[in-house]
Amino acid sequence: MNKENDKSMQEYWKRNVALIRNLLIIWAAVSYGAVILLGDVLSKISFFGVNLAFWFAHQGSILTFVAIVAFYAWRMGKLDKEFDVEE
Amino acid sequence: MSVEVLTLIFVMLTFGLYAYIGWWAKAVDTKSFYVAGNDVPIIANGAAIAADWMSAASFLSMAGLIAFLGYDGTVYLMGWTGGYVLLALLLAPYLRKFGRYTVPDFIGDRFYSNKSRAVAAIATIFVSLTYVAGQMRGVGIVFSRYLGVNIEIGVIIGMALIMFFAVIGGMKGITWTQVAQFFILIVAFVVPAVAISFKLTGNPIPQFGMIFSDVAQRLGEAQIEAGLKEYILPFQNMSKLNVFMMTMALMVGTAGLPHVITRFYTVKTVKGARWSAVWALLFIAILYTTAPAVGMFSKFNIIDTVHNQPVEEIQQIEWVEKWSTTGLLGLNDVNEDGVYRLSGDPATNEVNIDKDIIVLSTPEVAQLSPVIIALVAAGGLAAALSTAAGLLLAMSSAVSHDIYYKIYNRNATEKQRLRVARVMIFLSVLAAGYFGINPPGFVGEVVAFAFGIAAASLFPAIFLGIFDKRHNREGATAGIVTGLVFTVVMLVLMKSVPLLGTETPIIESFFGIDAAGIGIVGMVLHFAVGFVVSRSTKEPPQDIQEMVENIRIPKGSGEPQGDH
């Protein structure tokens, strides 16, 4: 592997890791944040027939997880193209 | 037609379908018993992962567990789906690029050590065995209810069937069988959920029914009145610390489960692995967002039907009588006042509802037609069988491929390896059946143990292997052993009553952390010990560092790598 290629691969990896980090922050915020650490607070906010913390605990967090994984697959597809590392 | 006859017909039809698919898929490609690259379409692979993943515990027990834990039941909901995010972002694409057969393969090659390969193989066997025992119990429950035999006989019937499918299905056939099993299990789960949602809330979509109705509130009120806990408020049944730890243990454990990770080896490309994860999680989310609604509706309906009702009237209800005979519903008019009363106080409680009946009884309690009841039985079996097949495969490949072939006998012929794999499947089924008949705990809990062990041993090792180039053999071995030993010792001490026969647990908890969340402490120790040891020993060889760089880039995943 030549120098230039090496550098571009490092950049590719750096952007991948940054994307993973950002998505994991969202992942932790909707699960550990909204449901557990802030569970007592958000359960005081009503959300239709239930409360907001309960909705995140039983529905919202799961839907967010699906969105995170889909966004990652889509974004990485673009990144692969940009750095020409597609298969 | 009676429910029993219909069930038998449904079960036989679906089993016939699986057998046909197994035969068809195998007949197409007899030579590729050990094929790594697979031409399974991405969506189908997603469905296969989902079926592999959603076990008897997901199908039969989870809605029940949630019904009894209320808000805190989120540990299972978030735990068993959130781990997928870790899997999709941190492991799956890189393991696909690495492109061998098993998890111990990666650990053994990445840490250039047969010792770590052996330890990873042992962890794989341990995790899969604990997990498969829960599946056998699930199969036993379904057969006992629908064929009118006791649970032990049900487990034995299940053992015979799984043995049969593991052999005829073969490695490749299993994928397509799992695709079929996914559709059967999801239809079987969703149809009664829609029906009970419509009946109770007027809204046919359970996810909406549970929010846009007053069922949650009425269930909470009924529970308070009976002296039980509030349903939609947090930390009523578990401490905040334990909800946190257990959620994390299930998430990280999910990402470390060998039978699920292996599934990502079966798509063609890294991109395919990423999108497989998306489809899989979407398919899983259908069940996981429906289950809390089913738990809520079904529990409300049972309480509403039985609680404060005259004994004579209740005894007339057909499903009450049926479920009473299986022992999953216990009704006893203790104070002989002619009325059944649910109570939070065990001494005066007259209604015992086993968690396992929530899903199985939903169609009957909601007065659905016998066809749906039969469908649910077939769905439960599909869930249990598809997961068991994946687990048995993971176990037998850990022994036949990683231990026997890679470590013990490098010159073994294909035939010898195959024979070892078959004997292993046989022994695994026997062991799983034994634990299914003598379960160390409730189905969901047994499965939870597997997660703690996966979280403490396999996940950190794979993660560090990809993201920490400096991580070396010494660090990995020390980390895996620390995580594994700590977690297993803690589990044994905390569960010493069933395991060692002590009268009380040797220790109650580890600084307030229960058995279900202890894997996370093991994981933290793994990371810490692994880091310190790897930094104080010499860095991994150049070719290993190059390998790590290589797996980080999708390009070239189709190329053959090393010997298989």
Side-chain angles (χ1 to χ4, degrees), chain A residues 52-76:
Chain A
L52 192 60
F54 179 84
W55 184 76
F56 267 108
H58 282 207
Q59 301 280 320
S61 55
I62 302 170
L63 301 175
T64 314
F65 296 155
V66 178
I68 290 174
V69 174
F71 183 82
Y72 181 71
W74 171 76
R75 192 72 194 75
M76 283 309 284

PDB file of all heavy atoms in Angstrom, chain A residues 52-76:
ATOM      1  N   LEU A  52     -44.227   9.461  28.874  1.00  0.00           N
ATOM      2  CA  LEU A  52     -43.171   9.524  27.865  1.00  0.00           C
ATOM      3  C   LEU A  52     -42.058   8.505  28.106  1.00  0.00           C
ATOM      4  O   LEU A  52     -41.593   7.835  27.188  1.00  0.00           O
ATOM      5  CB  LEU A  52     -42.602  10.947  27.812  1.00  0.00           C
ATOM      6  CG  LEU A  52     -41.703  11.237  26.607  1.00  0.00           C
ATOM      7  CD1 LEU A  52     -42.459  11.044  25.305  1.00  0.00           C
ATOM      8  CD2 LEU A  52     -41.157  12.668  26.681  1.00  0.00           C
ATOM      9  N   ALA A  53     -41.649   8.370  29.367  1.00  0.00           N
ATOM     10  CA  ALA A  53     -40.573   7.423  29.680  1.00  0.00           C
ATOM     11  C   ALA A  53     -41.023   5.997  29.356  1.00  0.00           C
ATOM     12  O   ALA A  53     -40.274   5.205  28.795  1.00  0.00           O
ATOM     13  CB  ALA A  53     -40.189   7.527  31.149  1.00  0.00           C
ATOM     14  N   PHE A  54     -42.275   5.693  29.691  1.00  0.00           N
ATOM     15  CA  PHE A  54     -42.807   4.368  29.407  1.00  0.00           C
ATOM     16  C   PHE A  54     -42.852   4.104  27.904  1.00  0.00           C
ATOM     17  O   PHE A  54     -42.531   3.017  27.440  1.00  0.00           O
ATOM     18  CB  PHE A  54     -44.216   4.216  30.005  1.00  0.00           C
ATOM     19  CG  PHE A  54     -44.846   2.875  29.738  1.00  0.00           C
ATOM     20  CD1 PHE A  54     -44.567   1.789  30.558  1.00  0.00           C
ATOM     21  CD2 PHE A  54     -45.708   2.685  28.658  1.00  0.00           C
ATOM     22  CE1 PHE A  54     -45.128   0.549  30.305  1.00  0.00           C
ATOM     23  CE2 PHE A  54     -46.274   1.443  28.401  1.00  0.00           C
ATOM     24  CZ  PHE A  54     -45.987   0.384  29.228  1.00  0.00           C
ATOM     25  N   TRP A  55     -43.237   5.123  27.139  1.00  0.00           N
ATOM     26  CA  TRP A  55     -43.298   4.938  25.688  1.00  0.00           C
ATOM     27  C   TRP A  55     -41.901   4.645  25.128  1.00  0.00           C
ATOM     28  O   TRP A  55     -41.716   3.750  24.319  1.00  0.00           O
ATOM     29  CB  TRP A  55     -43.899   6.158  24.990  1.00  0.00           C
ATOM     30  CG  TRP A  55     -44.035   5.910  23.517  1.00  0.00           C
ATOM     31  CD1 TRP A  55     -44.992   5.142  22.919  1.00  0.00           C
ATOM     32  CD2 TRP A  55     -43.171   6.370  22.482  1.00  0.00           C
ATOM     33  NE1 TRP A  55     -44.778   5.102  21.551  1.00  0.00           N
ATOM     34  CE2 TRP A  55     -43.667   5.849  21.252  1.00  0.00           C
ATOM     35  CE3 TRP A  55     -42.035   7.175  22.445  1.00  0.00           C
ATOM     36  CZ2 TRP A  55     -43.063   6.100  20.024  1.00  0.00           C
ATOM     37  CZ3 TRP A  55     -41.436   7.432  21.210  1.00  0.00           C
ATOM     38  CH2 TRP A  55     -41.953   6.902  20.016  1.00  0.00           C
ATOM     39  N   PHE A  56     -40.908   5.388  25.595  1.00  0.00           N
ATOM     40  CA  PHE A  56     -39.542   5.108  25.150  1.00  0.00           C
ATOM     41  C   PHE A  56     -39.104   3.712  25.604  1.00  0.00           C
ATOM     42  O   PHE A  56     -38.446   2.986  24.860  1.00  0.00           O
ATOM     43  CB  PHE A  56     -38.562   6.164  25.678  1.00  0.00           C
ATOM     44  CG  PHE A  56     -38.351   7.288  24.708  1.00  0.00           C
ATOM     45  CD1 PHE A  56     -38.886   8.543  24.950  1.00  0.00           C
ATOM     46  CD2 PHE A  56     -37.628   7.085  23.536  1.00  0.00           C
ATOM     47  CE1 PHE A  56     -38.706   9.581  24.042  1.00  0.00           C
ATOM     48  CE2 PHE A  56     -37.437   8.118  22.623  1.00  0.00           C
ATOM     49  CZ  PHE A  56     -37.976   9.369  22.880  1.00  0.00           C
ATOM     50  N   ALA A  57     -39.478   3.326  26.821  1.00  0.00           N
ATOM     51  CA  ALA A  57     -39.070   2.031  27.361  1.00  0.00           C
ATOM     52  C   ALA A  57     -39.646   0.877  26.544  1.00  0.00           C
ATOM     53  O   ALA A  57     -38.975  -0.124  26.307  1.00  0.00           O
ATOM     54  CB  ALA A  57     -39.498   1.911  28.817  1.00  0.00           C
ATOM     55  N   HIS A  58     -40.904   1.012  26.117  1.00  0.00           N
ATOM     56  CA  HIS A  58     -41.569  -0.121  25.475  1.00  0.00           C
ATOM     57  C   HIS A  58     -41.695   0.009  23.957  1.00  0.00           C
ATOM     58  O   HIS A  58     -42.073  -0.945  23.301  1.00  0.00           O
ATOM     59  CB  HIS A  58     -42.960  -0.352  26.104  1.00  0.00           C
ATOM     60  CG  HIS A  58     -42.884  -1.049  27.429  1.00  0.00           C
ATOM     61  ND1 HIS A  58     -43.893  -1.818  27.933  1.00  0.00           N
ATOM     62  CD2 HIS A  58     -41.908  -1.099  28.351  1.00  0.00           C
ATOM     63  CE1 HIS A  58     -43.549  -2.321  29.118  1.00  0.00           C
ATOM     64  NE2 HIS A  58     -42.350  -1.887  29.391  1.00  0.00           N
ATOM     65  N   GLN A  59     -41.458   1.187  23.397  1.00  0.00           N
ATOM     66  CA  GLN A  59     -41.615   1.363  21.953  1.00  0.00           C
ATOM     67  C   GLN A  59     -40.522   2.222  21.318  1.00  0.00           C
ATOM     68  O   GLN A  59     -39.834   1.791  20.401  1.00  0.00           O
ATOM     69  CB  GLN A  59     -42.992   2.025  21.642  1.00  0.00           C
ATOM     70  CG  GLN A  59     -44.201   1.273  22.125  1.00  0.00           C
ATOM     71  CD  GLN A  59     -44.574   0.141  21.196  1.00  0.00           C
ATOM     72  OE1 GLN A  59     -44.521   0.268  19.985  1.00  0.00           O
ATOM     73  NE2 GLN A  59     -44.927  -0.992  21.756  1.00  0.00           N
ATOM     74  N   GLY A  60     -40.402   3.439  21.806  1.00  0.00           N
ATOM     75  CA  GLY A  60     -39.589   4.447  21.132  1.00  0.00           C
ATOM     76  C   GLY A  60     -38.130   4.087  20.974  1.00  0.00           C
ATOM     77  O   GLY A  60     -37.530   4.326  19.914  1.00  0.00           O
ATOM     78  N   SER A  61     -37.549   3.488  22.008  1.00  0.00           N
ATOM     79  CA  SER A  61     -36.129   3.141  21.921  1.00  0.00           C
ATOM     80  C   SER A  61     -35.897   2.137  20.787  1.00  0.00           C
ATOM     81  O   SER A  61     -34.965   2.292  19.998  1.00  0.00           O
ATOM     82  CB  SER A  61     -35.634   2.582  23.253  1.00  0.00           C
ATOM     83  OG  SER A  61     -36.439   1.502  23.649  1.00  0.00           O
ATOM     84  N   ILE A  62     -36.785   1.150  20.668  1.00  0.00           N
ATOM     85  CA  ILE A  62     -36.616   0.116  19.641  1.00  0.00           C
ATOM     86  C   ILE A  62     -36.704   0.724  18.239  1.00  0.00           C
ATOM     87  O   ILE A  62     -35.900   0.410  17.358  1.00  0.00           O
ATOM     88  CB  ILE A  62     -37.683  -0.992  19.806  1.00  0.00           C
ATOM     89  CG1 ILE A  62     -37.580  -1.620  21.198  1.00  0.00           C
ATOM     90  CG2 ILE A  62     -37.550  -2.052  18.731  1.00  0.00           C
ATOM     91  CD1 ILE A  62     -38.724  -2.548  21.549  1.00  0.00           C
ATOM     92  N   LEU A  63     -37.664   1.634  18.057  1.00  0.00           N
ATOM     93  CA  LEU A  63     -37.813   2.274  16.755  1.00  0.00           C
ATOM     94  C   LEU A  63     -36.571   3.108  16.424  1.00  0.00           C
ATOM     95  O   LEU A  63     -36.113   3.134  15.281  1.00  0.00           O
ATOM     96  CB  LEU A  63     -39.075   3.155  16.747  1.00  0.00           C
ATOM     97  CG  LEU A  63     -40.385   2.400  17.037  1.00  0.00           C
ATOM     98  CD1 LEU A  63     -41.564   3.358  17.128  1.00  0.00           C
ATOM     99  CD2 LEU A  63     -40.651   1.347  15.955  1.00  0.00           C
ATOM    100  N   THR A  64     -36.029   3.770  17.443  1.00  0.00           N
ATOM    101  CA  THR A  64     -34.812   4.556  17.229  1.00  0.00           C
ATOM    102  C   THR A  64     -33.645   3.653  16.813  1.00  0.00           C
ATOM    103  O   THR A  64     -32.851   4.003  15.948  1.00  0.00           O
ATOM    104  CB  THR A  64     -34.421   5.337  18.492  1.00  0.00           C
ATOM    105  OG1 THR A  64     -35.588   5.964  19.029  1.00  0.00           O
ATOM    106  CG2 THR A  64     -33.375   6.399  18.186  1.00  0.00           C
ATOM    107  N   PHE A  65     -33.542   2.480  17.448  1.00  0.00           N
ATOM    108  CA  PHE A  65     -32.456   1.542  17.110  1.00  0.00           C
ATOM    109  C   PHE A  65     -32.510   1.167  15.630  1.00  0.00           C
ATOM    110  O   PHE A  65     -31.480   1.118  14.952  1.00  0.00           O
ATOM    111  CB  PHE A  65     -32.542   0.261  17.947  1.00  0.00           C
ATOM    112  CG  PHE A  65     -32.363   0.473  19.424  1.00  0.00           C
ATOM    113  CD1 PHE A  65     -32.908  -0.425  20.338  1.00  0.00           C
ATOM    114  CD2 PHE A  65     -31.646   1.554  19.924  1.00  0.00           C
ATOM    115  CE1 PHE A  65     -32.746  -0.245  21.704  1.00  0.00           C
ATOM    116  CE2 PHE A  65     -31.488   1.744  21.291  1.00  0.00           C
ATOM    117  CZ  PHE A  65     -32.039   0.839  22.178  1.00  0.00           C
ATOM    118  N   VAL A  66     -33.725   0.898  15.138  1.00  0.00           N
ATOM    119  CA  VAL A  66     -33.865   0.532  13.721  1.00  0.00           C
ATOM    120  C   VAL A  66     -33.371   1.687  12.852  1.00  0.00           C
ATOM    121  O   VAL A  66     -32.615   1.481  11.884  1.00  0.00           O
ATOM    122  CB  VAL A  66     -35.337   0.189  13.365  1.00  0.00           C
ATOM    123  CG1 VAL A  66     -35.464  -0.128  11.882  1.00  0.00           C
ATOM    124  CG2 VAL A  66     -35.836  -0.985  14.197  1.00  0.00           C
ATOM    125  N   ALA A  67     -33.762   2.896  13.223  1.00  0.00           N
ATOM    126  CA  ALA A  67     -33.355   4.068  12.445  1.00  0.00           C
ATOM    127  C   ALA A  67     -31.831   4.234  12.456  1.00  0.00           C
ATOM    128  O   ALA A  67     -31.226   4.539  11.425  1.00  0.00           O
ATOM    129  CB  ALA A  67     -34.038   5.314  13.001  1.00  0.00           C
ATOM    130  N   ILE A  68     -31.210   4.009  13.603  1.00  0.00           N
ATOM    131  CA  ILE A  68     -29.748   4.164  13.716  1.00  0.00           C
ATOM    132  C   ILE A  68     -29.029   3.195  12.778  1.00  0.00           C
ATOM    133  O   ILE A  68     -28.146   3.578  12.011  1.00  0.00           O
ATOM    134  CB  ILE A  68     -29.283   3.907  15.174  1.00  0.00           C
ATOM    135  CG1 ILE A  68     -29.740   5.043  16.085  1.00  0.00           C
ATOM    136  CG2 ILE A  68     -27.759   3.754  15.241  1.00  0.00           C
ATOM    137  CD1 ILE A  68     -29.446   4.807  17.562  1.00  0.00           C
ATOM    138  N   VAL A  69     -29.438   1.934  12.826  1.00  0.00           N
ATOM    139  CA  VAL A  69     -28.772   0.915  12.016  1.00  0.00           C
ATOM    140  C   VAL A  69     -28.966   1.204  10.522  1.00  0.00           C
ATOM    141  O   VAL A  69     -28.033   1.077   9.720  1.00  0.00           O
ATOM    142  CB  VAL A  69     -29.300  -0.488  12.395  1.00  0.00           C
ATOM    143  CG1 VAL A  69     -28.749  -1.541  11.478  1.00  0.00           C
ATOM    144  CG2 VAL A  69     -28.926  -0.812  13.831  1.00  0.00           C
ATOM    145  N   ALA A  70     -30.178   1.638  10.148  1.00  0.00           N
ATOM    146  CA  ALA A  70     -30.452   1.953   8.750  1.00  0.00           C
ATOM    147  C   ALA A  70     -29.621   3.154   8.301  1.00  0.00           C
ATOM    148  O   ALA A  70     -29.039   3.149   7.206  1.00  0.00           O
ATOM    149  CB  ALA A  70     -31.945   2.234   8.550  1.00  0.00           C
ATOM    150  N   PHE A  71     -29.543   4.169   9.145  1.00  0.00           N
ATOM    151  CA  PHE A  71     -28.760   5.353   8.790  1.00  0.00           C
ATOM    152  C   PHE A  71     -27.293   4.983   8.603  1.00  0.00           C
ATOM    153  O   PHE A  71     -26.644   5.431   7.656  1.00  0.00           O
ATOM    154  CB  PHE A  71     -28.905   6.436   9.868  1.00  0.00           C
ATOM    155  CG  PHE A  71     -28.176   7.708   9.531  1.00  0.00           C
ATOM    156  CD1 PHE A  71     -28.746   8.649   8.691  1.00  0.00           C
ATOM    157  CD2 PHE A  71     -26.898   7.957  10.032  1.00  0.00           C
ATOM    158  CE1 PHE A  71     -28.070   9.808   8.355  1.00  0.00           C
ATOM    159  CE2 PHE A  71     -26.213   9.115   9.707  1.00  0.00           C
ATOM    160  CZ  PHE A  71     -26.791  10.053   8.859  1.00  0.00           C
ATOM    161  N   TYR A  72     -26.787   4.149   9.485  1.00  0.00           N
ATOM    162  CA  TYR A  72     -25.375   3.743   9.391  1.00  0.00           C
ATOM    163  C   TYR A  72     -25.097   3.026   8.070  1.00  0.00           C
ATOM    164  O   TYR A  72     -24.115   3.334   7.381  1.00  0.00           O
ATOM    165  CB  TYR A  72     -25.003   2.846  10.574  1.00  0.00           C
ATOM    166  CG  TYR A  72     -23.555   2.410  10.554  1.00  0.00           C
ATOM    167  CD1 TYR A  72     -22.532   3.313  10.819  1.00  0.00           C
ATOM    168  CD2 TYR A  72     -23.203   1.089  10.253  1.00  0.00           C
ATOM    169  CE1 TYR A  72     -21.201   2.925  10.781  1.00  0.00           C
ATOM    170  CE2 TYR A  72     -21.877   0.694  10.216  1.00  0.00           C
ATOM    171  CZ  TYR A  72     -20.886   1.606  10.482  1.00  0.00           C
ATOM    172  OH  TYR A  72     -19.562   1.230  10.435  1.00  0.00           O
ATOM    173  N   ALA A  73     -25.979   2.077   7.719  1.00  0.00           N
ATOM    174  CA  ALA A  73     -25.770   1.319   6.478  1.00  0.00           C
ATOM    175  C   ALA A  73     -25.791   2.247   5.264  1.00  0.00           C
ATOM    176  O   ALA A  73     -24.963   2.133   4.360  1.00  0.00           O
ATOM    177  CB  ALA A  73     -26.845   0.241   6.334  1.00  0.00           C
ATOM    178  N   TRP A  74     -26.729   3.204   5.288  1.00  0.00           N
ATOM    179  CA  TRP A  74     -26.859   4.133   4.170  1.00  0.00           C
ATOM    180  C   TRP A  74     -25.633   5.061   4.084  1.00  0.00           C
ATOM    181  O   TRP A  74     -25.023   5.227   3.041  1.00  0.00           O
ATOM    182  CB  TRP A  74     -28.136   4.952   4.357  1.00  0.00           C
ATOM    183  CG  TRP A  74     -28.281   6.080   3.393  1.00  0.00           C
ATOM    184  CD1 TRP A  74     -28.635   5.987   2.074  1.00  0.00           C
ATOM    185  CD2 TRP A  74     -28.054   7.469   3.662  1.00  0.00           C
ATOM    186  NE1 TRP A  74     -28.648   7.242   1.512  1.00  0.00           N
ATOM    187  CE2 TRP A  74     -28.302   8.170   2.451  1.00  0.00           C
ATOM    188  CE3 TRP A  74     -27.689   8.190   4.803  1.00  0.00           C
ATOM    189  CZ2 TRP A  74     -28.174   9.554   2.350  1.00  0.00           C
ATOM    190  CZ3 TRP A  74     -27.567   9.568   4.714  1.00  0.00           C
ATOM    191  CH2 TRP A  74     -27.806  10.241   3.492  1.00  0.00           C
ATOM    192  N   ARG A  75     -25.235   5.619   5.222  1.00  0.00           N
ATOM    193  CA  ARG A  75     -24.132   6.571   5.265  1.00  0.00           C
ATOM    194  C   ARG A  75     -22.798   5.905   4.904  1.00  0.00           C
ATOM    195  O   ARG A  75     -21.966   6.494   4.214  1.00  0.00           O
ATOM    196  CB  ARG A  75     -24.059   7.179   6.670  1.00  0.00           C
ATOM    197  CG  ARG A  75     -23.172   8.372   6.803  1.00  0.00           C
ATOM    198  CD  ARG A  75     -23.775   9.610   6.144  1.00  0.00           C
ATOM    199  NE  ARG A  75     -22.779  10.668   5.998  1.00  0.00           N
ATOM    200  CZ  ARG A  75     -21.800  10.686   5.089  1.00  0.00           C
ATOM    201  NH1 ARG A  75     -21.712   9.698   4.212  1.00  0.00           N
ATOM    202  NH2 ARG A  75     -20.927  11.659   5.047  1.00  0.00           N
ATOM    203  N   MET A  76     -22.620   4.686   5.383  1.00  0.00           N
ATOM    204  CA  MET A  76     -21.373   3.976   5.083  1.00  0.00           C
ATOM    205  C   MET A  76     -21.294   3.600   3.611  1.00  0.00           C
ATOM    206  O   MET A  76     -20.206   3.573   3.028  1.00  0.00           O
ATOM    207  CB  MET A  76     -21.230   2.725   5.952  1.00  0.00           C
ATOM    208  CG  MET A  76     -20.805   2.998   7.374  1.00  0.00           C
ATOM    209  SD  MET A  76     -19.344   4.045   7.520  1.00  0.00           S
ATOM    210  CE  MET A  76     -18.052   2.891   7.079  1.00  0.00           C
TER     211      MET A  76
END
